[in-house]
């Protein structure tokens, strides 16, 4: 049976993703001097206004405005922003439930992790390609002055019997200077962004449809063309709609918040199941309760691709992995300032993150 699956990614200048990056920059700053910081400081952006709000219980002295201005400047904004800030300490009710002799889950909720052997990164091909296109665009646009940071990619892949057989469509929309002609823009993007990325996947390029800036122009970008808010790109951040997503976003949250750390660990477990050839595909679901250490439930779905009985996979997981928040934080080393780098181009499928390692 054939089917077509589509995923998208967004660049750092997309206003939602800009807010994710700023929020994780706040988190990193807190963790630099206080690894036990409890953080959930988010932001929203529109035009020349940035709203900074949330909860923070930390010994760190954080200059939120300066951090935000630096991120905005690095992205390419040249205007001044008005900063509106509303931040309080974490609720003492939550704090007493979480910070005990052993760290407990910061909230209830379910988390998902996913892995597939269809790529060497153990990620679905559509989202993997969409992220690679955005990373290549980001590198390219920084070599010029006529392309800007706001951009989106979309990739459609045709599958037969669960294997990718063809890249059907690649769509890119990129922001640009008003004096850049659309014909030249399309040529530049095709040659400098798309072709370097798909070179690795030539066997899947079969009458592929390339669509570049179908709107014709994209000169009003970022917060002046759209509003943005933390956590509105959870499908982009995870598996591109192939694997399911949990009940919360990642950015701004420290590691006691299982929306984030539980999802990282679930990916870690799913990837190890596939990497050790116990299944071709795997999705892990875990659920937590606030103030509790042990998970409420665990479900392993292999979509009929398991190579050993499912009960042996459960046995492998139970004997080798520990989903308690305290163990996740220790095993994945999550108290370091590593989070700003996760905020764009996907939290999974990239080298350098502890939850991507293969466990012996």
């Amino acid at each position: 049976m054939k089917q077509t699956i589509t995923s998208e990614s967004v660049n750092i200048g997309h206003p939602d993703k800009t807010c994710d990056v700023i929020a994780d920059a706040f988190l990193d700053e807190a963790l630099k001097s206080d690894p036990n910081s409890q953080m959930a400081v988010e932001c929203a952006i529109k035009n020349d206004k940035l709203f900074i709000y949330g909860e923070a219980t930390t010994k760190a002295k954080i200059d939120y405005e300066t951090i935000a201005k630096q991120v905005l400047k690095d992205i390419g904004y040249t205007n001044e922003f008005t900063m509106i800030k509303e931040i309080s300490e974490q609720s003492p009710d939550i704090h007493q439930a979480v910070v005990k002799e052993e760290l407990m889950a910061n909230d209830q909720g379910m988390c998902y992790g996913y892995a597939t052997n269809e790529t060497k990164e153990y990620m679905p091909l559509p989202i993997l390609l969409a992220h690679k296109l955005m990373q290549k665009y980001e590198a390219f646009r920084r070599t010029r002055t006529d392309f800007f940071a706001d951009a989106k990619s979309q990739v459609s892949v045709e599958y037969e019997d669960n294997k990718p057989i063809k890249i059907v469509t690649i769509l890119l929309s990129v922001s640009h200077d008003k004096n850049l002609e659309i014909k030249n823009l399309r040529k530049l993007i095709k040659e400098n962004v798309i072709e370097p990325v798909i070179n690795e996947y030539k066997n899947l390029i079969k009458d592929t449809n390339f669509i570049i800036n179908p709107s014709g122009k994209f000169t009003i970008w970022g917060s002046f063309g759209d509003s943005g808010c933390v956590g509105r790109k959870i499908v982009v951040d995870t598996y591109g709609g192939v694997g399911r997503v949990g009940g919360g976003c990642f950015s701004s949250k420290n590691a006691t918040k299982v929306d984030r750390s539980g999802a990282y660990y679930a990916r870690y477990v799913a990837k190890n199941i596939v990497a050790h050839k116990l299944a071709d595909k795997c999705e892990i679901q875990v659920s937590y309760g606030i103030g509790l250490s042990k998970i409420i439930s665990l479900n392993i779905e292999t979509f009929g691709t398991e190579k050993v009985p499912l009960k042996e996979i459960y046995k492998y997981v139970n004997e080798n992995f520990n989903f308690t928040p305290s163990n996740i934080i220790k095993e994945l080393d999550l108290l370091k300032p590593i989070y700003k780098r996760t905020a764009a181009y996907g939290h999974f499928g990239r080298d350098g993150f502890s939850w991507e390692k293969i466990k012996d």
Side-chain angles (χ1 to χ4, degrees):
M1 186 183 74
K2 291 184 178 180
Q3 60 177 333
T4 300
I5 297 174
T6 300
S7 298
E8 73 161 350
S9 181
V10 297
N11 200 40
I12 194 171
H14 185 288
D16 291 334
K17 194 47 64 185
T18 294
C19 289
D20 288 341
V21 174
I22 293 172
D24 276 339
F26 295 155
L27 174 58
D28 280 357
E29 185 63 24
L31 294 175
K32 284 177 184 176
S33 56
D34 182 4
N36 295 312
S37 296
Q38 297 291 316
M39 297 289 292
V41 178
E42 304 180 4
C43 55
I45 195 170
K46 179 57 185 167
N47 292 336
D48 59 354
K49 293 182 175 62
L50 184 76
F51 303 86
I52 302 170
Y53 54 90
E55 297 81 47
T57 299
T58 178
K59 298 174 183 176
K61 304 299 181 184
I62 304 172
D63 188 340
Y64 294 98
E65 292 89 343
T66 298
I67 292 169
K69 286 178 181 178
Q70 184 57 52
V71 172
L72 293 166
K73 181 181 178 182
D74 182 62
I75 286 171
Y77 286 99
T78 57
N79 58 285
E80 291 295 319
F81 275 82
T82 298
M83 306 272 175
I84 303 163
K85 187 173 68 171
E86 189 70 31
I87 299 172
S88 62
E89 288 192 346
Q90 182 185 61
S91 163
D93 291 349
I94 297 175
H95 192 79
Q96 63 85 29
V98 174
V99 181
K100 299 181 180 179
E101 186 173 335
E102 177 187 1
L103 283 173
M104 303 297 174
N106 193 283
D107 204 349
Q108 70 177 50
M110 73 287 190
C111 312
Y112 285 95
Y114 182 83
T116 171
N117 63 7
E118 69 187 66
T119 63
K120 68 179 187 295
E121 294 87 354
Y122 297 96
M123 289 290 287
L125 183 59
I127 189 66
L128 183 73
L129 282 175
H131 285 321
K132 287 187 175 186
L133 288 165
M134 285 293 87
Q135 289 174 294
K136 181 61 70 174
Y137 173 73
E138 175 66 6
F140 169 67
R141 69 102 181 171
R142 287 187 178 274
T143 67
R144 305 175 63 98
T145 59
D146 49 0
F147 286 97
F148 307 134
D150 197 353
K152 301 178 81 171
S153 63
Q154 186 170 289
V155 177
S156 300
V157 175
E158 185 176 296
Y159 288 75
E160 185 171 18
D161 298 328
N162 293 316
K163 300 294 182 183
I165 61 169
K166 176 183 176 182
I167 299 171
V168 180
T169 303
I170 290 177
L171 166 61
L172 263 73
S173 291
V174 303
S175 55
H176 60 93
D177 186 271
K178 63 183 179 181
N179 295 317
L180 184 59
E181 294 182 357
I182 187 66
K183 183 178 180 181
N184 188 31
L185 179 150
R186 287 170 175 158
K187 182 175 184 292
L188 287 167
I189 294 300
K190 179 80 180 300
E191 292 177 352
N192 295 279
V193 178
I194 295 175
E195 290 180 357
V197 170
I198 64 174
N199 186 58
E200 184 182 345
Y201 306 91
K202 284 182 178 179
N203 62 315
L204 299 176
I205 303 300
K206 305 168 186 175
D207 300 318
T208 302
N209 186 22
F210 300 101
I211 305 172
I212 302 169
N213 279 45
S215 64
K217 63 177 183 178
F218 185 176
T219 59
I220 302 171
W221 66 276
S223 61
F224 293 92
D226 197 1
S227 61
C229 188
V230 167
R232 292 205 297 197
K233 286 290 177 281
I234 58 175
V235 174
V236 169
D237 289 343
T238 52
Y239 308 102
V242 175
R244 286 173 284 188
V245 298
C249 70
F250 300 155
S251 290
S252 84
K253 298 174 181 177
N254 67 286
T256 63
K257 295 171 177 63
V258 290
D259 284 335
R260 183 172 213 161
S261 55
Y264 287 179
Y265 202 75
R267 159 65 177 176
Y268 176 52
V269 175
K271 182 176 180 179
N272 272 271
I273 288 171
V274 176
H276 289 297
K277 304 185 187 306
L278 301 178
D280 292 335
K281 294 193 293 185
C282 182
E283 183 178 75
I284 301 287
Q285 188 207 53
V286 290
S287 65
Y288 289 88
I290 187 169
L292 302 179
S293 175
K294 292 184 178 180
I295 56 175
I296 302 295
S297 66
L298 166 67
N299 186 65
I300 303 174
E301 172 64 70
T302 55
F303 309 95
T305 69
E306 65 272 14
K307 307 302 181 186
V308 299
L310 201 55
K311 65 180 181 180
E312 291 189 23
I313 297 178
Y314 273 98
K315 183 173 184 288
Y316 164 75
V317 171
N318 289 327
E319 290 179 353
N320 290 280
F321 300 94
N322 177 351
F323 287 89
T324 62
S326 58
N327 177 71
I328 292 173
I329 290 168
K330 180 180 179 181
E331 188 172 355
L332 299 186
D333 199 13
L334 297 182
L335 298 183
K336 293 181 178 179
I338 58 172
Y339 296 99
K340 183 183 174 186
R341 194 170 77 82
T342 69
Y345 316 116
H347 292 248
F348 309 120
R350 293 195 285 150
D351 291 337
F353 299 140
S354 58
W355 50 92
E356 292 296 318
K357 65 188 178 183
I358 306 300
K359 186 174 184 175
D360 292 334

